[in-house]
Amino acid sequence: MVALTSLSPAPPRPSPTPAPPRRGPPPRGRAYSPRGVILRAAAVADAMPGADDYHSTIRSLNSRGRHVPRKSLGQNYMLNSKVNEALAAAAGVEEGDVVLEIGPGTGSLTAVLLEAGATVFAVEKDKHMATLVKDRFESTERLKVIEEDITKFHIRSHFLPFMKEKYHDTKKRAKVVSNLPFNVSTEVVKLLLPMGDIFSVVVLMLQDETAARLADSSIQTPEYRPINVFVNFYSEPEYKFRVDRENFFPRPKVHGAVISFKLKNVEEYPPVGSPKSFFSMVNSAFNGKRKMLRKSLQHLCSSPEIEAALHKIGLPVTARPSDLKLDDFVRLHSHLVEV
């Protein structure tokens, strides 16, 4: 098998110090200029490579007999320690925190979280990488590594007891900080956001386009989807900063971005009798995105009843799903349930 170093691009130049985070997603409808990007791999005269730079990543991968990162698992390893520091800072990680990390890879972000004083519960699907992280941090008692697919992992059964033990049954909530494999991003977001009783904040590295879309809940745009309603139902999203693709190995085709979700407590959720019923209505509405709601929701109520409900909440009877904000969907659901 060909060694990893022979397949790799030239080592990236030293990474710069990150500028203050960019607040908000890139503007819609026009190209996003790379000028002013927060974290890039451009050269800075006095910058020094971090502990988890290109060469140390190659050594780590080869030390486990691994030569090529697995594309099927979305493995793109972070080469810039300053990005990891900014990722942890976005979550406000501090001493005594319990942090769930998904896909620790070579442990570059794990090292930053441990250095900040957190106790880390890492879930890694790749058994080789799980072993690597265990070996790298074998001297600490503040790390637990579970070899499991996060999409199949039962957080309430396995992580919740761990968190309560570390917090000594206090009501403090844990945090999620992760350089997430791009191929499972939406699935993981749907898994984590309804867990406001366990986590206070979820900070993830996603594809730039995905992060921008999740953070922007603007109605009447092509990007407006049921996931936007879901995200704002359970959290307060904020686009933090973009990360150039040169900071990853292998280099992906797209840039990354960090987004934070401040999770709501159950009592802060919009007043719907049944979230399952509510999201079923929302999904049905968007199944015919170009259709008027009086057509796409006909399986729930008759067209005259839907029109009456729309009129009661101050919307035109010709309204389409892209016209409704979260509060509008909540009020519409309340009226349709009464019918």
Side-chain angles (χ1 to χ4, degrees):
M1 183 176 289
V2 182
L4 177 62
T5 49
S6 67
L7 298 177
S8 310
R13 290 173 290 179
S15 306
T17 302
R22 177 180 178 276
R23 301 295 180 181
R28 298 284 184 188
R30 64 176 183 270
Y32 180 29
S33 170
R35 291 177 296 176
V37 167
I38 303 309
L39 294 167
R40 305 185 65 184
V44 174
D46 58 353
M48 294 297 291
D52 286 276
D53 61 7
Y54 173 87
H55 296 291
S56 63
T57 299
I58 298 300
R59 286 195 299 269
S60 294
L61 293 173
N62 285 335
S63 72
R64 303 307 309 172
R66 298 292 310 286
H67 300 292
V68 180
R70 297 171 63 182
K71 186 176 181 180
S72 63
L73 297 181
Q75 291 177 334
N76 298 99
Y77 303 111
M78 175 52 60
L79 303 175
N80 189 340
S81 293
K82 293 185 182 300
V83 174
N84 288 325
E85 292 167 6
L87 192 60
V93 176
E94 57 188 11
E95 187 171 356
D97 281 344
V98 174
V99 176
L100 170 64
E101 182 186 4
I102 301 164
T106 60
S108 62
L109 176 58
T110 312
V112 172
L113 297 173
L114 291 172
E115 186 176 354
T119 296
V120 180
F121 188 104
V123 180
E124 172 59 65
K125 182 177 181 179
D126 188 326
K127 65 179 182 180
H128 298 280
M129 305 313 293
T131 301
L132 186 154
V133 174
K134 288 178 184 177
D135 292 347
R136 176 175 177 177
F137 302 105
E138 61 182 349
S139 62
T140 182
E141 297 180 352
R142 290 188 288 110
L143 172 66
K144 182 172 183 177
V145 181
I146 301 295
E147 183 190 324
E148 182 63 270
D149 181 345
I150 189 61
T151 62
K152 300 175 182 177
F153 183 68
H154 200 285
I155 292 176
R156 293 191 181 276
S157 296
H158 302 290
F159 176 78
L160 193 54
F162 175 85
M163 182 189 76
K164 288 183 175 180
E165 177 188 348
K166 299 301 178 182
Y167 280 151
H168 306 292
D169 291 323
T170 64
K171 293 184 178 181
K172 187 175 180 180
R173 292 180 291 169
K175 298 175 179 178
V176 181
V177 184
S178 179
N179 181 0
L180 203 63
F182 290 166
N183 60 350
V184 296
S185 57
T186 302
E187 194 171 357
V188 171
V189 166
K190 289 182 177 180
L191 172 70
L192 296 174
L193 295 201
M195 297 186 177
D197 58 322
I198 301 178
F199 304 110
S200 61
V201 64
V202 174
V203 177
L204 304 174
M205 175 84 73
L206 308 177
Q207 287 187 16
D208 183 45
E209 182 180 341
T210 301
R213 187 172 64 247
L214 294 178
D216 186 2
S217 58
S218 300
I219 62 172
Q220 298 178 335
T221 62
E223 295 82 8
Y224 191 53
R225 295 285 190 274
I227 187 65
N228 297 105
V229 179
F230 180 91
V231 165
N232 286 276
F233 186 97
Y234 287 113
S235 72
E236 297 175 9
E238 182 181 358
Y239 183 104
K240 289 294 187 179
F241 52 86
R242 194 180 94 170
V243 180
D244 271 11
R245 63 194 187 99
E246 288 80 7
N247 288 289
F248 299 90
F249 173 79
R251 184 179 298 181
K253 295 181 180 179
V254 296
H255 298 300
V258 171
I259 183 173
S260 73
F261 304 91
K262 181 182 177 183
L263 301 197
K264 299 176 182 178
N265 291 306
V266 175
E267 57 270 19
E268 297 175 301
Y269 294 165
V272 298
S274 166
K276 182 178 180 180
S277 170
F278 173 74
F279 287 114
S280 176
M281 182 201 74
V282 172
N283 290 330
S284 295
F286 279 93
N287 281 340
K289 188 175 181 181
R290 295 180 179 275
K291 292 182 180 179
M292 298 178 190
L293 291 169
R294 64 187 180 187
K295 294 290 186 181
S296 58
L297 297 180
Q298 272 187 327
H299 64 291
L300 299 178
C301 298
S302 67
S303 290
E305 290 171 331
I306 296 169
E307 290 177 357
L310 289 169
H311 180 73
K312 286 181 181 178
I313 65 175
L315 292 173
V317 297
T318 56
R320 291 176 169 79
S322 58
D323 298 325
L324 277 65
K325 298 179 181 178
L326 170 61
D327 290 345
D328 296 326
F329 276 114
V330 170
R331 290 186 295 150
L332 178 61
H333 180 261
S334 177
H335 284 289
L336 294 183
V337 168
E338 292 177 0
V339 174

